[in-house]
Amino acid sequence: MPPAVGKPVKVLFVCVGNACRSQMAEALARHFASDVIIPASAGMMALGEVPEQTRQVLAARGVEMDGQYSKPLRSEVKEWADVIVNMTGVPGTSAFSDQPHKVEDWDVSDPFGKDAGLYEITCDEIESRVGDLARRLRQVRAAKKKA
């Protein structure tokens, strides 16, 4: 992964509406992995709001969403990112054909409009995936320090 030793990786989490999955991932990364990830999020077709269920599932875990809001994917934020985590359901090679080398696809169900239980399940999965990404980035950092 790109950045120099000791520098956090700029990770852009993208889903369809930037209301549930990518918002969860951004907040979880900020909370659990700020040493290795500078998170941001966006949506292919931003909903323009974050459902209360998204906020509640994160708050129940003690995770803040301060300053987060639903926003559209813009070319400058794609350029800013070192890694793009794609949760749109469309393969990254298609959705981000201009930068496929930056894309990591996560197949995560969209809880939008569903019951609170699905928000919990989705948040559990995203928390696990963010943890795995952070672990991999920490390993790369440690290997670079040894080199």
Side-chain angles (χ1 to χ4, degrees), residues 8-13 22-42 64 68 71 77 80-83 85 130 133 137:
V9 175
K10 296 175 281 190
V11 179
L12 174 62
F13 297 98
S22 56
Q23 291 288 339
M24 289 177 190
E26 179 183 357
L28 290 162
R30 186 171 288 112
H31 186 80
F32 292 115
S34 62
D35 61 315
V36 289
I37 296 174
I38 299 171
S41 67
E64 301 283 331
Q68 288 184 225
K71 56 208 156 298
V77 78
W80 166 87
D82 298 314
V83 175
V85 173
V130 166
L133 177 59
L137 292 172

Side-chain angles (χ1 to χ4, degrees), residues 12 14 41-44 46 69-81 84 96 98-99:
L12 174 62
V14 180
S41 67
M44 295 296 235
Y69 60 96
S70 178
K71 56 208 156 298
L73 181 62
R74 299 192 188 284
S75 58
E76 58 270 11
V77 78
K78 286 194 306 184
E79 291 295 326
W80 166 87
I84 299 171
F96 301 96
D98 57 333
Q99 298 173 318

